[in-house]
Amino acid sequence: MILLDKNTKVVVQGATGKMGGAHTKRMIEYGTKIVAGVTPGKGGTQVHGLPVYDSVKEAVEKTGATCSVIFVPPYGSLDAGFEAVDAGIELIVLITEGIPPQDTAKLVAHVKANNVKMVGPNCPGVITPGESLVGILPGSIFKPGKTGMVSRSGTLTYEIALALTEAGIGQSTCVGIGGDPVKGTGYQEPLQMFSDDPNTEVIVMIGEIGGTAEEEAAEFIKKNVKKPVIGFIAGVTAPPGKRMGHAGAIISGGKGTAESKMKSFEANGIKVAMTPKEVAKLVGESLKTPVKA
Amino acid sequence: MNLYEYEAKQLFAEGGIPVPPSARITKPEDLAKVHLGWPVILKCQVMSGGRGKAGGIQKVKTLEEGKEVAKKLLAMTIKDSKTESLLVEPIVNFKKEIYLAVTIDRERGCPIFIAAADGGMEIESNPNVQTVAITYPFHPYQGRALAHQLGLKGAVFAKVADIAAKLYLLFEKYDLDLAEINPLFVTEGDDVIAGDGKITINDDAMGRQKKFDGWQDKHLVDLPVRERRSKKEGLNLVELDGNIGIICNGAGLTMATMDMVKKFGGNPGNFLDAGGGSDQEKTLTAIEIVHDNPNCDVILLNILGGITACDEVAAALVEFMKRHPNRKMIVRLRGNNQDKAEKMLAESGLKLYPDIEDAVKAAVEAAKTKQPVGAR
């Protein structure tokens, strides 16, 4: 497992909001060690039996939390993220969707300068099945096991996790890195962590069209990852040119199609699955004790 | 949201970036009120690229000639973008054209300058393109770093560096995804002037960029009618040429579902991501929009509930089938309150497919056979 285990102490920024509150309840029910909520102005109250503090700093001092999951609205996320970094949080999981990318870029720069890890934004979060769930993933779909997953997508990750679980294949940790162009964690860091993790045997990498992160990760895998990796790319049928700016095209340099990513996977020794069930089949064959899916 | 050239140039001027004097006209006879001397250039205001090649930029020598040409240009549609107005500018005599842009580099995760000292032709493959990653907080020296990389000297170095810095400040102030000057003219007298401008405002920032309140209606005119409607409803629709309408929650799952439709022998008619946590009303709107596409023979709804509750989706489906009992509909629902949803759907004559592959295959089959309603 990586990033999270049953001892990870988590604060929830935005725990008293509608979405934050609902998911705080679900995370507690899953068994995540949620220790506090943070909502400025609501310090001293409670949410789902947890203390609420006015600041992340106070929550960290009182509870020893090392992880913060952020559910605040898009235009408040830059502020909330800076607050978490400056309070000494080590892992931020930023769920919020719709943050303007320049805000994210500013936050990412601050996160990196302080050696903090950030997953997201616009992500489903992280789950180490049976131990801890931080985010909005549906816990019941996952089960403990030896397959690590890293993905840019939310519901597609659930779909593939479901196919694995139904085939009897459990997961060590699943990391939803998020669908925004600018993000805290790309593929490479989780890939390296899975590669080093003794409880992970096989890695599933889920990508989609746009950018060149998958191509770069494929080259990284060939050099650094000594475990089998199964790849899945969504968007073979997506039309080209949608929402691609003139200056954006220049950076991608013709890369970014599903074909390019799949070719890059194959060229670097990553098996490519075409359906979620095929992912389960290929993973099953790659495990040390093969599972027939 | 993309801006027209004249709007981009208004922003440039506001930010202190030199632009040519200009006038904007919407009727040929208004050219008589323009006092820029002769000849002038008439430029179609459209959203699409390739305007020059399509004949959307014309030089005219007299008022008489100008009125005639303006009439033709105002009637032009370039790559589905109807001419909104004409921008009238004097001719700029230049010795050099530079390409200059600020955008977000997704791989580096920061804003960057992109520039080429030899202009914007074939910018994607130009080997002389220079980039500078912008660090926070921004200082004007970062513009000078770019001008230096471009190999500029003297007055032109200072002017281009200053314009680059000002372009970045606009980029940050207005939450832009792209601020592009192409071309940036260098005149015989070493003046540096923005010849054309392209600006994209980040859609997620529209809620806090009050300057652009109410602009959306005017600027989404080039989207197909259903895509525009979706955008207003907070749904993400892209129409394709197949006959199987697709609605899912989440972009990755929607694309994967399209790919599976293709893999199993069907043709996706659209991409529609209804988003996570869509409620009954939003789901109903999504189905109605896909239903309105005349090319769509079958609708495939694939919802894997994380946040989304299946019974909310089912309630939307029940209502939809009441309105359109003849619509062929294949439903895959999985997640919270699935059992409840199944019962609700059974009453509307809809079968619930828990498995994604079964649902996709059923949709492909239904699209082939033109069998009647219900798609059991």
Side-chain angles (χ1 to χ4, degrees):
Chain A
M1 70 194 70
I2 65 169
L3 294 168
L4 290 180
D5 61 35
K6 61 181 188 302
N7 299 314
T8 309
K9 289 184 181 174
V10 183
V11 294
V12 182
Q13 286 177 260
T16 56
K18 190 182 167 217
M19 189 184 173
H23 286 289
T24 299
K25 187 162 174 277
R26 290 176 72 179
M27 287 187 283
I28 293 170
E29 284 165 2
Y30 191 79
T32 308
K33 201 164 190 178
I34 306 279
V35 292
V38 173
T39 303
K42 292 201 177 166
T45 64
Q46 286 208 328
V47 60
H48 302 302
L50 297 170
V52 175
Y53 297 100
D54 284 322
S55 71
V56 182
K57 188 165 182 278
E58 198 184 350
V60 167
E61 281 167 3
K62 298 271 168 64
T63 66
T66 57
C67 172
S68 178
V69 56
I70 301 180
F71 286 98
V72 307
Y75 301 157
S77 295
L78 175 62
D79 182 24
F82 263 69
E83 186 185 350
V85 172
D86 295 348
I89 288 289
E90 292 162 19
L91 171 66
I92 296 170
V93 178
L94 178 49
I95 304 299
T96 309
E97 180 179 359
I99 302 173
Q102 293 192 48
D103 281 9
T104 308
K106 283 172 189 162
L107 180 54
V108 167
H110 191 59
V111 158
K112 286 191 177 150
N114 288 277
N115 286 318
V116 172
K117 283 190 177 54
M118 182 171 91
V119 177
N122 188 16
C123 80
V126 183
I127 182 170
T128 296
E131 303 243 341
S132 185
L133 184 172
V134 173
I136 59 175
L137 308 108
S140 61
I141 282 174
F142 299 84
K143 78 168 208 164
K146 294 188 177 300
T147 301
M149 289 174 73
V150 55
S151 172
R152 264 164 75 184
S153 167
T155 45
L156 179 56
T157 310
Y158 312 162
E159 190 73 60
I160 291 173
L162 181 68
L164 289 173
T165 297
E166 286 188 335
I169 300 165
Q171 306 90 36
S172 53
T173 298
C174 300
V175 187
I177 59 175
D180 277 6
V182 181
K183 46 186 165 268
T185 300
Y187 285 113
Q188 296 179 14
E189 210 176 336
L191 285 169
Q192 184 66 59
M193 293 169 98
F194 281 132
S195 182
D196 297 340
D197 172 35
N199 292 317
T200 300
E201 281 182 18
V202 180
I203 303 165
V204 175
M205 178 177 157
I206 303 161
E208 59 192 44
I209 55 156
T212 55
E214 287 83 357
E215 287 88 336
E216 284 157 24
E219 286 167 22
F220 177 84
I221 287 168
K222 190 174 188 180
K223 281 193 204 121
N224 302 291
V225 177
K226 304 296 170 218
K227 292 175 182 177
V229 180
I230 312 300
F232 182 91
I233 300 290
V236 177
T237 51
K242 281 274 174 182
R243 296 189 72 175
M244 293 288 191
H246 192 185
I250 194 175
I251 305 158
S252 305
K255 285 189 177 180
T257 63
E259 286 78 6
S260 152
K261 290 169 194 298
M262 287 176 178
K263 261 189 204 151
S264 177
F265 276 180
E266 281 165 356
N268 289 287
I270 300 162
K271 284 185 186 160
V272 179
M274 300 304 289
T275 65
K277 281 185 186 171
E278 209 178 304
V279 174
K281 184 174 164 278
L282 292 174
V283 171
E285 291 166 4
S286 306
L287 287 164
K288 283 177 190 156
T289 313
V291 172
K292 198 166 179 298
Chain B
M1 181 177 78
N2 294 322
L3 299 187
Y4 290 106
E5 176 194 1
Y6 73 91
E7 295 165 329
K9 282 181 168 167
Q10 283 166 7
L11 279 196
F12 292 162
E14 181 200 311
I17 296 169
V19 294
S22 67
R24 180 173 153 254
I25 61 166
T26 53
K27 298 192 288 284
E29 50 274 26
D30 288 350
L31 202 53
K33 298 178 211 155
V34 175
H35 303 289
L36 293 167
W38 302 93
V40 293
I41 304 267
L42 304 180
K43 303 164 93 175
C44 288
Q45 297 300 291
V46 288
M47 291 291 183
S48 49
R51 174 180 63 170
K53 272 185 197 158
I57 301 176
Q58 298 289 336
K59 178 176 163 182
V60 293
K61 294 193 186 78
T62 64
L63 177 59
E64 285 318 300
E65 185 195 359
K67 280 192 204 165
E68 220 159 278
V69 172
K71 196 178 163 190
K72 282 182 199 146
L73 290 182
L74 281 163
M76 266 180 91
T77 295
I78 300 172
K79 288 187 201 158
D80 297 331
S81 182
K82 213 177 155 301
T83 299
E84 189 256 6
S85 59
L86 298 182
L87 191 65
V88 188
E89 289 181 345
I91 288 162
V92 177
N93 289 308
F94 60 90
K95 62 178 179 190
K96 190 177 165 74
E97 287 180 297
I98 293 172
Y99 174 90
L100 173 65
V102 184
T103 190
I104 291 264
D105 181 337
R106 53 191 295 166
E107 315 308 341
R108 282 183 267 191
C110 64
I112 54 165
F113 284 122
I114 302 172
D118 53 357
M121 293 296 279
E122 309 291 333
I123 192 74
E124 290 86 351
S125 54
N126 184 342
N128 301 320
V129 164
Q130 299 293 322
T131 64
V132 171
I134 293 165
T135 54
Y136 297 114
F138 179 80
H139 292 286
Y141 80 86
Q142 300 186 47
R144 297 198 292 277
L146 179 74
H148 176 73
Q149 267 181 236
L150 289 172
L152 303 172
K153 301 281 178 218
V156 175
F157 169 93
K159 284 175 182 171
V160 170
D162 181 55
I163 289 170
K166 285 171 171 164
L167 192 63
Y168 173 77
L169 293 176
L170 285 172
F171 179 82
E172 179 169 320
K173 179 178 178 188
Y174 290 116
D175 275 311
L176 307 183
D177 284 339
L178 174 68
E180 180 187 84
I181 305 176
N182 178 27
L184 181 63
F185 290 128
V186 179
T187 67
E188 292 295 341
D190 281 350
D191 281 329
V192 183
I193 303 168
D196 194 357
K198 191 173 170 192
I199 280 182
T200 307
I201 299 151
N202 181 257
D203 286 334
D204 287 325
M206 288 296 284
R208 69 182 182 191
Q209 289 297 344
K210 300 297 171 200
K211 184 184 177 83
F212 307 110
D213 270 355
W215 285 41
Q216 217 133 10
D217 271 349
K218 188 178 152 191
H219 291 80
L220 292 180
V221 286
D222 300 320
L223 282 180
V225 56
R226 284 180 296 276
E227 290 186 18
R228 199 183 337 159
R229 191 171 143 204
S230 300
K231 202 155 186 171
K232 281 186 192 165
E233 299 284 352
L235 298 163
N236 194 349
L237 173 74
V238 175
E239 293 199 331
L240 305 162
D241 48 15
N243 66 340
I244 301 177
I246 294 170
I247 304 165
C248 305
N249 58 335
L253 184 60
T254 313
M255 280 191 277
T257 305
M258 286 162 54
D259 294 350
M260 285 172 75
V261 163
K262 188 84 182 174
K263 182 182 156 68
F264 291 120
N267 275 311
N270 71 275
F271 164 103
L272 198 162
D273 170 17
S278 291
D279 56 11
Q280 188 178 332
E281 201 186 316
K282 204 167 166 187
T283 308
L284 187 56
T285 307
I287 307 171
E288 287 283 3
I289 289 173
V290 174
H291 171 77
D292 283 349
N293 179 353
N295 297 328
C296 172
D297 291 328
V298 181
I299 297 177
L300 169 61
L301 183 88
N302 177 18
I303 304 284
L304 179 59
I307 316 175
T308 313
C310 291
D311 53 328
E312 291 252 355
V313 178
L317 278 166
V318 169
E319 175 60 29
F320 176 82
M321 292 311 286
K322 256 187 228 161
R323 294 182 196 171
H324 313 283
N326 293 322
R327 168 51 78 183
K328 271 197 259 180
M329 174 81 76
I330 303 291
V331 182
R332 188 274 182 133
L333 276 177
R334 189 82 189 246
N336 288 335
N337 304 336
Q338 189 181 322
D339 299 349
K340 208 167 146 192
E342 188 159 13
K343 269 185 207 148
M344 292 163 72
L345 291 183
E347 284 164 27
S348 288
L350 285 174
K351 181 178 165 181
L352 189 149
Y353 294 82
D355 183 89
I356 183 172
E357 283 193 16
D358 292 346
V360 169
K361 284 173 187 163
V364 171
E365 208 46 45
K368 269 185 207 154
T369 59
K370 310 252 175 201
Q371 71 183 34
V373 210
R376 288 189 175 250

